[in-house]
Amino acid sequence: MGAQQFVVAVAGATGAVGREMLKILEERDFPASKVIALASSRSAGSTVPFKNTELLVEELTEASFQGVDIALFSAGGSTSEKFAPYAAAAGCVVVDNSSAWRMDDRCPLVVPEVNPDDLDWHNGIIANPNCSTIQMVVALKPLHDAATITRVVVSTYQAVSGTGQKAIEELERQVRGLMGGQEVENKVYPHRIAFNVLPQIDVFLENEYTKEEMKMVHETKKIMGDDSIRVTATAVRVPVFFGHSESVNIETAKKLTAKEARAVLAQAPGVRVLDNPGEKIYPMPINAGGMDDTYVGRIREDDTIENGLNLWVVADNLRKGAALNAVQIAETLAARGLVRVQDRNVFETK
Amino acid sequence: MGAQQFVVAVAGATGAVGREMLKILEERDFPASKVIALASSRSAGSTVPFKNTELLVEELTEASFQGVDIALFSAGGSTSEKFAPYAAAAGCVVVDNSSAWRMDDRCPLVVPEVNPDDLDWHNGIIANPNCSTIQMVVALKPLHDAATITRVVVSTYQAVSGTGQKAIEELERQVRGLMGGQEVENKVYPHRIAFNVLPQIDVFLENEYTKEEMKMVHETKKIMGDDSIRVTATAVRVPVFFGHSESVNIETAKKLTAKEARAVLAQAPGVRVLDNPGEKIYPMPINAGGMDDTYVGRIREDDTIENGLNLWVVADNLRKGAALNAVQIAETLAARGLVRVQDRNVFETK
């Protein structure tokens, strides 16, 4: 008897994350009897590579999900808000990469290494967390289990690919221009990103934190299932193409030595410890590209508080931070027999 | 009666910081009757620009300081260890930019906006702090005076110019190589810096922090004159040419709202508040280049602790972080009539 096969749709298939989703479905040999590429009318009719062929991109409509089992969405918040309910109403399970559904109580927010059991109560739409949150919780969950994290102070060093293909092109164009002695324009970011750092990711909120910073605060609590973890974040864009890095300071209820933290992390799913300062071995974005693991290094005790640790966390933001995590959610759904929407009326279609 | 004029020597005049020192002496019209450029035998005989002329670079020797009033050193730790005592023995006051004398109890460690009075007890050698420490204490001192800082968690985003001219060339060479599709080498840094971030600045110590990180811990206490301020640091190199940035989280004994902190900083010497998120105004390295002020923005309350604040601090690392601070020390010495060494026997010459 063969394993069950699924009809899979990728909505937003022409974007940076959509293409990565197709690549990862292929790499991991996801049990798909058929893969459908969906995008806006603007991209419909183009093709995207998948296995040894090209998929013709179809227009994403309310009717796209008839007969589809799993839809991976990476088409932006408003597209997802509109179309994900139609998919769920059709019985298709959506794994959505936008921020539209993340804090919705009807939707689990899942990192398979951290809270796979939250998939059990899904209603057809499952949210994929923000990239910087995913890699942080993969590193923090095992430490939380071992010593109960009470506070997190995180500063990020985020790659431009997190913004999308146009931002990758902007960094490259600006670097080439500056190297040629030219003035350069910024279109994607509010300021130049080449040879600069921007202490702004996403828009500013009422409290003067950015939306990205508050995502790290709220999503961490929801994924870890613990509202008592206090998180404060500073999210910063750096002129790196691929790979987000994070400087993470944590306070725990129970003392954890650096050695103990290293041992806990060495056993943790999805984590790879790279921590040998004597040999200049630590995580870096240039080594994380194309990798599935979240890399943790520079693990050291912070003696300014009783139970403090500093960590340096790096991952491929397009893979673990987006496409890979979505595919891993789909795999977990498949393994647990959860690829069917029971109640198709939880989300309102409009 | 004209103002007093001094004979000034710049040791290490051909380096990135030495050249900046000459530029700043000129810009600020330092009262110098003569400026002497000193460097190692390798550079002796070359010239460096100063005002409308070129200074002939002389070899730095034990005898270089006869008749010199003030020597600005930026020639590396071992050169400074060897030659600064000869300068002091000759009655010349040394302002040294290396780390050699910073934690020596005989030497004040000074940021003129923070602890000018420590110059009063100098013995001929005054230490200029580490670049990342200088800009941080300029921003923190007024907040410490207002609310008593108890703990600092800082993550840095440091430019390659902090390493010197060779590192500037390395980033440029690597960027050009990668843009041309070539493999690139790293000579200055342990890993590639172009489109990457390196969580290592300076060497690793026994406690697995880097020397740069521990400089921020120890120097902050000495400059602020308060051993009770607890500092934990993560120092990171980013692919930026000029301008260090810092994400700083502080805890204070007394509550300070973001608004109050902004008001305190707006009055502080050497600080410029750039904090209007609605207009996307915040400090960035591209705006700090060539500027004297330390820029502070993203000032916001951290509600994970009772009295917490997050700040984003940026300055020109070659100016305020090095050459400008040294010249400001010299100016303060001159204004206070402290440009003579009273006891020439404090430091041993060898």
Side-chain angles (χ1 to χ4, degrees):
Chain A
M1 193 189 90
Q4 201 184 347
Q5 298 275 314
F6 303 96
V7 177
V8 179
V10 174
T14 56
V17 172
R19 284 170 188 272
E20 198 71 26
M21 284 169 165
L22 288 167
K23 203 168 108 186
I24 292 173
L25 287 170
E26 176 178 339
E27 274 177 22
R28 297 172 72 94
D29 209 11
F30 189 86
S33 54
K34 189 179 176 191
V35 173
I36 301 164
L38 301 171
S40 68
S41 58
R42 200 162 29 87
S43 297
S46 66
T47 62
V48 284
F50 182 69
K51 294 194 171 170
N52 297 322
T53 179
E54 295 276 330
L55 300 178
L56 181 69
V57 178
E58 298 172 31
E59 186 181 348
L60 171 62
T61 71
E62 290 87 338
S64 292
F65 304 96
Q66 300 306 324
V68 175
D69 299 306
I70 302 174
L72 307 180
F73 269 68
S74 184
S78 57
T79 303
S80 172
E81 255 173 67
K82 179 167 179 200
F83 292 102
Y86 285 99
C92 167
V93 179
V94 172
V95 182
D96 178 47
N97 192 48
S98 81
S99 64
W101 303 99
R102 288 184 192 148
M103 298 313 296
D104 191 310
D105 287 341
R106 296 168 295 180
C107 304
L109 181 66
V110 176
V111 177
E113 293 90 339
V114 177
N115 61 334
D117 293 349
D118 280 338
L119 292 172
D120 295 343
W121 56 266
H122 85 76
N123 292 301
I125 302 177
I126 294 143
N128 204 39
N130 175 260
C131 47
S132 20
T133 309
I134 293 177
Q135 68 183 69
M136 186 168 82
V137 296
V138 167
L140 293 190
K141 181 55 161 51
L143 301 174
H144 190 50
D145 289 344
T148 311
I149 296 172
T150 55
R151 182 177 180 230
V152 179
V153 180
V154 57
S155 296
T156 71
Y157 302 68
Q158 294 181 233
V160 296
S161 55
T163 312
Q165 191 57 37
K166 287 208 167 83
I168 296 174
E169 289 158 15
E170 177 146 310
L171 173 57
E172 186 174 336
R173 190 182 61 244
Q174 289 181 348
V175 165
R176 285 190 195 280
L178 291 166
M179 287 284 130
Q182 294 156 20
E183 290 287 311
V184 297
E185 277 188 317
N186 45 285
K187 294 173 186 166
V188 176
Y189 293 117
H191 304 279
R192 195 181 99 193
I193 181 63
F195 308 118
N196 194 25
V197 300
L198 298 179
Q200 179 189 355
I201 294 183
D202 210 330
V203 297
F204 283 98
L205 303 173
E206 194 74 13
N207 67 358
E208 303 214 323
Y209 282 81
T210 59
K211 211 167 162 182
E212 181 85 359
E213 289 161 354
M214 294 315 293
K215 283 175 189 171
M216 295 187 79
V217 173
H218 300 308
E219 294 182 18
T220 298
K221 294 177 195 225
K222 181 167 176 178
I223 300 164
M224 304 270 267
D226 187 343
D227 264 350
S228 71
I229 302 176
R230 291 164 288 145
V231 179
T232 187
T234 300
V236 180
R237 189 76 64 190
V238 294
V240 164
F241 287 108
F242 301 100
H244 286 358
S245 307
E246 297 174 346
S247 170
V248 187
N249 178 277
I250 63 169
E251 184 166 3
T252 53
K254 204 187 122 196
K255 175 75 185 169
L256 211 54
T257 65
K259 202 179 157 189
E260 287 165 344
R262 229 171 265 129
V264 165
L265 288 165
Q267 302 293 325
V271 172
R272 188 147 161 234
V273 175
L274 275 188
D275 195 14
N276 187 348
E279 301 294 319
K280 294 167 184 171
I281 291 171
Y282 32 70
M284 292 184 296
I286 47 167
N287 294 338
M291 300 306 200
D292 290 351
D293 285 327
T294 294
Y295 294 88
V296 186
R298 303 287 335 266
I299 302 163
R300 57 217 197 277
E301 283 149 59
D302 164 14
D303 64 4
T304 67
I305 47 175
E306 208 164 327
N307 303 327
L309 282 173
N310 283 308
L311 312 168
W312 178 253
V313 181
V314 179
D316 183 328
N317 55 300
L318 293 186
R319 290 179 71 91
K320 187 58 194 171
L324 172 66
N325 197 68
V327 174
Q328 286 172 323
I329 289 173
E331 288 172 348
T332 313
L333 289 167
R336 295 184 173 211
L338 296 166
V339 184
R340 275 284 96 184
V341 178
Q342 300 306 314
D343 178 352
R344 300 184 180 196
N345 299 310
V346 171
F347 302 98
E348 193 188 348
T349 53
K350 48 198 164 191
Chain B
M1 195 189 91
Q4 200 185 346
Q5 298 276 313
F6 303 96
V7 176
V8 179
V10 174
T14 56
V17 172
R19 285 169 187 272
E20 198 71 27
M21 285 170 165
L22 288 166
K23 202 168 108 188
I24 292 174
L25 287 169
E26 177 178 339
E27 274 177 23
R28 297 172 74 93
D29 209 10
F30 189 85
S33 54
K34 188 178 177 190
V35 173
I36 301 163
L38 301 171
S40 68
S41 58
R42 201 161 28 89
S43 297
S46 66
T47 62
V48 285
F50 182 68
K51 297 197 170 170
N52 296 320
T53 179
E54 295 277 329
L55 301 178
L56 181 68
V57 178
E58 299 173 30
E59 187 181 347
L60 171 61
T61 69
E62 288 87 338
S64 293
F65 304 95
Q66 299 307 323
V68 175
D69 299 308
I70 300 173
L72 307 179
F73 268 68
S74 185
S78 57
T79 303
S80 173
E81 254 173 68
K82 180 167 178 199
F83 292 102
Y86 285 99
C92 166
V93 179
V94 172
V95 182
D96 179 48
N97 192 48
S98 81
S99 64
W101 303 97
R102 287 183 193 149
M103 298 311 296
D104 191 311
D105 286 341
R106 296 167 297 179
C107 303
L109 181 66
V110 176
V111 177
E113 293 91 339
V114 179
N115 61 333
D117 293 348
D118 280 337
L119 292 173
D120 295 345
W121 56 265
H122 85 76
N123 292 300
I125 302 178
I126 294 144
N128 204 41
N130 177 260
C131 46
S132 22
T133 309
I134 293 177
Q135 69 183 69
M136 185 167 83
V137 296
V138 167
L140 294 190
K141 182 54 163 46
L143 301 173
H144 189 50
D145 289 346
T148 310
I149 295 173
T150 56
R151 184 180 178 227
V152 179
V153 180
V154 55
S155 297
T156 71
Y157 302 67
Q158 295 181 233
V160 298
S161 54
T163 313
Q165 192 55 42
K166 288 210 167 85
I168 295 174
E169 290 159 15
E170 176 145 311
L171 174 56
E172 186 175 336
R173 189 183 61 241
Q174 289 181 348
V175 166
R176 286 192 193 279
L178 291 167
M179 287 285 130
Q182 294 155 20
E183 290 286 313
V184 297
E185 276 188 318
N186 46 287
K187 292 173 185 167
V188 175
Y189 292 117
H191 304 278
R192 195 181 98 194
I193 181 62
F195 309 118
N196 194 25
V197 300
L198 298 180
Q200 178 188 356
I201 295 184
D202 209 331
V203 296
F204 283 99
L205 303 173
E206 193 75 12
N207 68 357
E208 303 212 326
Y209 283 81
T210 58
K211 211 167 160 183
E212 183 84 358
E213 289 161 352
M214 294 315 293
K215 284 176 189 170
M216 296 188 78
V217 173
H218 299 310
E219 294 183 18
T220 299
K221 295 178 194 225
K222 182 168 176 179
I223 300 165
M224 305 271 264
D226 187 344
D227 265 351
S228 72
I229 303 176
R230 291 162 289 144
V231 179
T232 186
T234 300
V236 180
R237 188 76 63 191
V238 295
V240 164
F241 287 110
F242 302 100
H244 285 359
S245 308
E246 296 174 348
S247 170
V248 187
N249 179 277
I250 63 168
E251 184 167 3
T252 53
K254 205 188 121 196
K255 175 76 186 172
L256 211 55
T257 65
K259 202 179 160 192
E260 287 164 344
R262 231 172 262 129
V264 164
L265 288 166
Q267 301 294 325
V271 171
R272 189 149 160 234
V273 175
L274 275 187
D275 195 14
N276 187 347
E279 300 295 319
K280 294 170 184 169
I281 291 170
Y282 32 69
M284 292 184 295
I286 49 168
N287 294 337
M291 300 306 200
D292 290 352
D293 284 328
T294 294
Y295 294 90
V296 186
R298 301 291 333 268
I299 302 163
R300 56 214 198 279
E301 283 150 58
D302 163 15
D303 64 4
T304 67
I305 46 176
E306 208 162 326
N307 304 326
L309 282 172
N310 284 308
L311 313 168
W312 178 253
V313 181
V314 179
D316 183 328
N317 56 300
L318 292 186
R319 289 179 73 91
K320 188 57 193 171
L324 173 66
N325 197 69
V327 173
Q328 287 171 322
I329 289 173
E331 288 172 348
T332 313
L333 289 167
R336 297 186 171 209
L338 296 166
V339 186
R340 275 285 93 186
V341 178
Q342 301 306 312
D343 178 352
R344 303 186 179 194
N345 299 308
V346 172
F347 301 98
E348 193 189 345
T349 54
K350 49 200 164 186

